[in-house]
Amino acid sequence: MLRRGILVAAVAVLAAVFGVTSPAQASTSTAHQVSVADQAATSAYWTPRRMAAATPLDTSTASAPQDAPPGTPTGTLFDGMPTVGALFSTVGGKAHFCTASVVLSATRNLLLTAAHCVYGGGTYRADIAFVPGYHDGIAPYGTWPVTSILVADGWQASADQNLDFAFLTVGGRIQDVTGGNVLGIDRGYDHTVTVIGYSNNVEQPIICRTTSFQALPDQSQFNCHGYYDGTSGGPWLIDYNPHTGSGTVIGDIGGYQAGGDYEYTSYSPYYGLPTLRLYLQAEFDQVHSG
């Protein structure tokens, strides 16, 4: 209870610093609630076989390939970490995956991913479950059905590339099991980042240490080989600690070109006040509901 109280106080201070003092000021978006029955169905649906057979959520526009910039590094497959996992869902009855991560929160049940991974074409994805640390058919920290989805109104209205982020909740205090990442707001564009995601093969995630920079207004970019469609939603971490698998998340693979048309170039919406407002709404909703 003490840790939760400290985090609630920290959220209140952060909100006050940015002039956000109520849920109404945080955001006008409305969270999509997943029924208890649907959560149970999701748990039953995601068997190891279905997870292994899932394919990336294909959102690219398939631009013609180009040569990568000189010095572009290549990501490495590894066995994963607890703060990042595969985000499974169904679209039209077909099994797909993206990437999501645990973000530190007062209620200890909050995830971060790309908005296009959970909402598109006027509908929410179905059967959404988060499997932290997933690799080789193993769910070392369990399977967590999503209980609510929060995307920005601007994403729902027009798929605004600068709002391609979403906050999800799960049932239970996942943060107590996996740890989490600090949400970094207005940290600038130029960083050494560690980026993790589940690429075209869900059986192992990919990790890369590279450099981020500004690509477009309110859009960050990094270059690293191996980042295909399934990496959408993957966190961009600064101050990364390899022992805990955590850091400060300043972006997610998404935004321009739904995260990038080439496997060596990825994008993210810049995390500023709209991101903070959506995060704070997710926090307000949870804290004030129980």
Side-chain angles (χ1 to χ4, degrees):
M1 291 299 293
L2 179 59
R3 287 182 298 172
R4 184 178 188 275
I6 291 171
L7 278 167
V8 171
V11 168
V13 170
L14 186 61
V17 167
F18 284 86
V20 181
T21 57
S22 72
Q25 288 178 301
S27 173
T28 58
S29 301
T30 301
H32 171 73
Q33 303 296 328
V34 180
S35 71
V36 173
D38 284 345
Q39 292 172 42
T42 295
S43 294
Y45 181 85
W46 288 112
T47 62
R49 182 175 180 178
R50 283 191 172 125
M51 290 181 190
T55 60
L57 184 65
D58 186 1
T59 57
S60 71
T61 55
S63 297
Q66 296 180 353
D67 292 333
T72 297
T74 298
T76 303
L77 294 175
F78 75 125
D79 284 343
M81 60 186 61
T83 61
V84 182
L87 187 72
F88 294 97
S89 66
T90 60
V91 180
K94 297 182 179 180
H96 298 289
F97 66 88
C98 277
T99 304
S101 59
V102 182
V103 63
L104 294 178
S105 63
T107 49
R108 312 182 75 81
N109 66 346
L110 203 60
L111 310 179
L112 170 66
T113 190
H116 75 256
C117 287
V118 294
Y119 183 92
T123 61
Y124 292 93
R125 313 301 183 199
D127 305 307
I128 304 177
F130 177 63
V131 186
Y134 179 84
H135 68 93
D136 301 306
I138 301 169
Y141 307 99
T143 298
W144 301 73
V146 165
T147 60
S148 70
I149 305 166
L150 185 63
V151 300
D153 281 350
W155 177 263
Q156 290 189 359
S158 63
D160 184 340
Q161 65 184 19
N162 295 330
L163 299 173
D164 195 3
F165 45 78
F167 292 99
L168 320 177
T169 61
V170 295
R173 295 159 62 97
I174 191 171
Q175 187 178 312
D176 291 349
V177 177
T178 63
N181 301 307
V182 175
L183 180 64
I185 298 296
D186 203 18
R187 297 297 184 95
Y189 292 92
D190 300 324
H191 293 283
T192 297
V193 292
T194 299
V195 186
I196 302 99
Y198 287 79
S199 196
N200 56 341
N201 181 355
V202 73
E203 291 306 291
Q204 280 189 301
I206 188 170
I207 187 169
C208 187
R209 189 172 185 267
T210 184
T211 301
S212 67
F213 53 95
Q214 185 172 12
L216 299 164
D218 295 316
Q219 292 285 313
S220 298
Q221 178 180 340
F222 75 82
N223 295 323
C224 186
H225 286 292
Y227 284 75
Y228 295 92
D229 288 323
T231 56
S232 288
W236 301 29
L237 301 172
I238 60 174
D239 304 324
Y240 172 68
N241 183 333
H243 300 293
T244 62
S246 61
T248 297
V249 56
I250 61 166
D252 62 273
I253 294 178
Y256 181 59
Q257 297 176 341
D261 284 350
Y262 310 128
E263 52 82 26
Y264 57 81
T265 293
S266 298
Y267 301 93
S268 169
Y270 183 74
Y271 283 5
L273 189 56
T275 317
L276 176 64
R277 283 176 169 161
L278 202 68
Y279 169 79
L280 290 175
Q281 182 184 342
E283 286 287 72
F284 278 128
D285 288 350
Q286 292 293 301
V287 170
H288 293 286
S289 67

